[in-house]
Amino acid sequence: MEKSKKKFPVLEIFGPTVQGEGMVIGQKTMFVRTAGCDYSCSWCDSAFTWDGSAKDEIKRMTAEEIYEELITTGKDLFNHVTISGGNPALLKSLSELVDLLHNKGIKVALETQGSIWQDWFMEIDDLTLSPKPPSSGMKPNMGILDDIVHKLNDGSNDFSIKVVIFDLLDLSFAEDLHQRYPGVPFYLQVGNDQVNEEKDEQLIPDLISRYEWLIDQVMENNKLNQVRVLPQLHTYVWGNKRGV
């Protein structure tokens, strides 16, 4: 009897678009957004993935079904897929999708907060660990994060750390993290505190002002000489819209 294929909780498949965050910012990519998260960050811009508000939108899909929808949606206009959430690291069998995409010549990016290890992390082409700072209301388990970074370093994976910054406490958290993992590519990204704002003319000037503030802080901080300071790129173009 053929083994039943694993089904994954999928909320959105969209693109191609540009990646707006992290180590592959600007990359042309498709997105697969999975449901479920082990965190509940106060400022989460994808809270619909875990707060139950979009539970009726969740589709249970096999890796093959996800691939078919990617092709239906993106046609031949992509060779890079970003798996996001929520926290995709909750899905133990996600290697089925990663392996299928690789077999089709498609590279895979993934972002996770570094709270759970999965062996298939070693297969990800562009892996971002994004530990959550104090403003999130969450407290990272540093022992788990240490273990994940150690395993990824041993595997010589292409991975990075990204911290979202809202205030000086977050910046101090980032300093400590950067010194804890000095050899890991490190990104700071300005936080969006208006995730429900629908008027771009109010949202975007505020984000630009916050980005300028973060740049100014980093330029005067000798503990952050090896970091890259990023905007949340897609918000400058599409604001808080989903599916772009």
Side-chain angles (χ1 to χ4, degrees):
M1 180 180 296
E2 184 179 356
K3 184 179 179 182
S4 61
K5 295 179 179 178
K6 182 69 177 179
K7 292 193 173 186
F8 306 102
V10 177
L11 268 168
E12 295 182 301
I13 294 177
F14 62 91
T17 185
V18 294
Q19 171 59 264
E21 304 182 358
M23 64 190 291
V24 287
I25 190 169
Q27 170 71 50
K28 183 180 181 181
T29 190
M30 293 291 291
F31 275 86
V32 176
R33 187 183 298 282
T34 62
C37 193
D38 50 326
Y39 278 17
S40 54
C41 297
S42 60
W43 38 250
C44 181
D45 61 0
S46 304
F48 62 92
T49 62
W50 52 263
D51 67 6
S53 62
K55 62 182 180 180
D56 294 337
E57 301 175 38
I58 298 172
K59 294 191 290 185
R60 308 289 301 188
M61 304 176 71
T62 65
E64 289 78 8
E65 289 169 340
I66 293 171
Y67 173 73
E68 289 302 322
E69 187 161 333
L70 283 166
I71 294 299
T72 299
T73 303
K75 303 179 175 59
D76 62 348
L77 299 174
F78 71 98
N79 59 12
H80 189 278
V81 169
T82 299
I83 303 172
S84 64
N87 185 7
L90 292 171
L91 304 175
K92 294 181 180 180
S93 301
L94 200 60
S95 58
E96 293 179 17
L97 176 60
V98 177
D99 290 345
L100 175 59
L101 292 172
H102 281 163
N103 288 337
K104 300 294 184 178
I106 298 169
K107 289 189 174 182
V108 181
L110 182 135
E111 180 173 322
T112 177
Q113 55 260 48
S115 58
I116 300 168
W117 168 260
Q118 297 290 359
D119 288 343
W120 51 259
F121 283 2
M122 306 303 290
E123 303 169 30
I124 300 297
D125 300 290
D126 307 303
L127 177 62
T128 298
L129 302 177
S130 185
K132 304 310 177 189
S135 63
S136 70
M138 301 290 105
K139 188 173 182 179
N141 184 317
M142 298 308 297
I144 292 175
L145 188 60
D146 285 346
D147 184 58
I148 290 173
V149 170
H150 177 73
K151 288 176 178 177
L152 291 172
N153 271 328
D154 281 355
S156 299
N157 267 48
D158 190 7
F159 77 102
S160 67
I161 291 174
K162 183 193 80 178
V163 181
V164 178
I165 304 296
F166 283 85
D167 54 35
L168 291 175
L169 278 177
D170 290 351
L171 199 62
S172 178
F173 170 82
E175 288 177 14
D176 292 343
L177 210 60
H178 187 38
Q179 292 177 75
R180 192 181 187 101
Y181 311 120
V184 180
F186 203 90
Y187 296 79
L188 299 181
Q189 182 176 295
V190 67
N192 177 3
D193 64 349
Q194 299 186 62
V195 295
N196 296 313
E197 178 58 65
E198 296 180 358
K199 295 180 180 179
D200 291 354
E201 63 269 24
Q202 294 186 24
L203 172 68
I204 294 173
D206 179 68
L207 290 175
I208 292 173
S209 176
R210 294 173 66 83
Y211 183 39
E212 183 179 13
W213 170 83
L214 181 56
I215 291 172
D216 289 343
Q217 293 297 319
V218 173
M219 294 310 107
E220 297 299 322
N221 190 325
N222 62 10
K223 296 178 181 178
L224 297 172
N225 288 351
Q226 296 294 322
V227 307
R228 299 182 186 183
V229 188
L230 302 180
Q232 202 176 31
L233 184 63
H234 55 284
T235 59
Y236 286 14
V237 183
W238 298 291
N240 285 322
K241 294 177 183 175
R242 280 178 56 184
V244 289

